Amino acid sequence: MAEALARNEADNHPKVGALIRARRRQMHLTLQALGDRAQVSVGYLSQVERDHATPSLGTLAQIARALEVGIDYFISTPNTREALTREGGRPKFSIDGSSVVYERLGADFPGNVLSSFVMTVPPGYRSETVAHEGEEILYILEGEITQRLGDEDMIMSAGDSLHFRGNHPHAWSNHTDKPARLLWTGTLALFRSTAKPRLLPDDANTSGAKPARNANKKTAKSKEKH
């Protein structure tokens, strides 16, 4: 009975090989590059990634160091209590010097690739133009923002959404005199366990925003150019 229980529990956890492969691809490393970093042969590493071989704890530690994670990345499991967040119970934080405040929705667990935040962008805020790997989804909860994608400006209002690749230059701003509230989700690793965001007091009344993009909304005020 105990063995069967342990086996069923293990079946629900991500395989070590899949976690290694996901992290390696996230870092844009080839098998050869990871093997060189970890001092493990490419052939053996390939077998590990396909779960055809089980590494020793020592070898797993070498791979973890090469992937810049702790060994618990491969052996810890999501905590349901940490995964569930409640309205009004999520801490709000910002980057030092920024007026954008982030309310985190996502949880950290081995192999996760998504980040998600509810944010409020203050009136007049403008972001820098950025481009990066990965995807982003933006959904406007309240207010409006102007989203630039390439050389096109789009006005996004409450209910509008945008799903885009981050490798296109993009920027966004709140062109109105009222805060805009957004839901941002993406594969960009933001404010995970190694980050040091600045926690805000409970009475903070602004929330942070994230890169947006958008909407081919026919009724939207048509595109503008900076």
Side-chain angles (χ1 to χ4, degrees), residues 2-82:
E3 290 179 359
L5 201 59
R7 191 162 52 248
N8 289 337
E9 184 180 17
D11 288 342
N12 292 327
H13 297 166
K15 298 286 189 181
V16 168
L19 293 174
I20 291 173
R21 181 169 57 251
R23 176 62 179 167
R24 174 175 65 80
R25 289 176 175 173
Q26 186 181 46
M27 296 178 69
H28 307 291
L29 294 175
T30 63
L31 272 172
Q32 183 66 60
L34 178 56
D36 291 344
R37 282 188 175 202
Q39 298 182 318
V40 175
S41 74
V42 173
Y44 180 70
L45 190 56
S46 175
Q47 289 185 329
V48 169
E49 283 200 357
R50 289 178 289 136
D51 290 306
H52 292 169
T54 303
S56 67
L57 195 59
T59 299
L60 189 58
Q62 290 175 228
I63 295 172
R65 281 195 297 272
L67 292 172
E68 300 175 5
V69 295
I71 198 168
D72 60 335
Y73 179 90
F74 303 109
I75 59 179
S76 62
T77 58
N79 184 321
T80 302
R81 287 172 297 181
E82 294 175 359

Side-chain angles (χ1 to χ4, degrees), residues 1 4 36 58 92 96 109 124 150 167 169-170 175 177 193-194 197 200 208 211 219 224 226:
M1 170 75 83
D36 291 344
K92 297 178 181 180
D96 286 343
F109 54 84
N167 58 2
H170 55 281
H175 59 279
D177 59 359
S193 55
T194 56
L200 295 182
T219 59
E224 308 160 359
H226 291 333

Side-chain angles (χ1 to χ4, degrees), residues 93-146:
F93 56 89
S94 71
I95 303 171
D96 286 343
S98 173
S99 56
V100 173
V101 182
Y102 298 79
E103 184 178 342
R104 183 172 180 168
L105 301 179
D108 274 337
F109 54 84
N112 78 304
V113 295
L114 290 177
S115 296
S116 187
F117 300 89
V118 171
M119 315 166 191
T120 300
V121 187
Y125 182 88
R126 299 180 65 85
S127 78
E128 71 279 16
T129 299
V130 297
H132 52 76
E133 293 301 317
E135 302 175 55
E136 298 184 29
I137 297 177
L138 180 72
Y139 181 80
I140 309 302
L141 299 170
E142 299 173 13
E144 292 185 348
I145 67 162
T146 298

